[in-house]
Amino acid sequence: MLGETILRYWKIILATGIVMAVGGLFLQSTSVVIGKIVEFFGFALVAIVAYVLGYKNASDEAEKQIKAELEKLAKQDIRYKFASERAIKNLKAPLTGKK
């Protein structure tokens, strides 16, 4: 659920993180503690968005590979078709939170 929300609004979250990270540098001239906190949260948002987008791209690529290989095997035996559907469902479960 959180992954879906981040994927939906990743551009806004990334822009907010960049603004906070850069803004934290300017805030350090007035208050060092507040500047460090804002900078930390900005970089944390950027890192979380990068992680989710990387996971999404990797799972999409793995899904393509699984489909391609198991379609070759499914031509020989129908059991491989059901195995590929289960593998793809289990691959997507961590990101969407659904089983």
Side-chain angles (χ1 to χ4, degrees):
M1 187 167 120
L2 181 61
E4 290 176 352
T5 304
I6 292 174
L7 283 175
R8 182 174 295 152
Y9 301 111
W10 72 271
K11 292 179 183 177
I12 296 168
I13 297 170
L14 184 64
T16 304
I18 292 171
V19 167
M20 287 177 70
V22 173
L25 296 173
F26 292 112
L27 286 176
Q28 289 182 10
S29 61
T30 58
S31 175
V32 176
V33 175
I34 293 174
K36 292 282 186 187
I37 292 171
V38 170
E39 183 181 3
F40 173 77
F41 280 117
F43 281 120
L45 286 176
V46 171
I48 290 169
V49 169
Y51 177 79
V52 170
L53 290 176
Y55 183 84
K56 172 79 169 117
N57 289 337
S59 64
D60 287 347
E61 187 62 32
E63 179 183 346
K64 289 177 191 175
Q65 294 289 332
I66 289 170
K67 280 184 179 179
E69 290 298 320
L70 290 176
E71 281 179 5
K72 293 177 191 174
L73 294 172
K75 291 178 183 176
Q76 299 170 4
D77 194 353
I78 193 69
R79 291 178 291 174
Y80 290 113
K81 181 178 181 182
F82 297 121
S84 68
E85 291 171 358
R86 273 187 272 142
I88 290 169
K89 185 177 102 176
N90 291 334
L91 183 68
K92 289 187 173 187
L95 185 61
T96 61
K98 298 177 183 174
K99 290 188 177 182

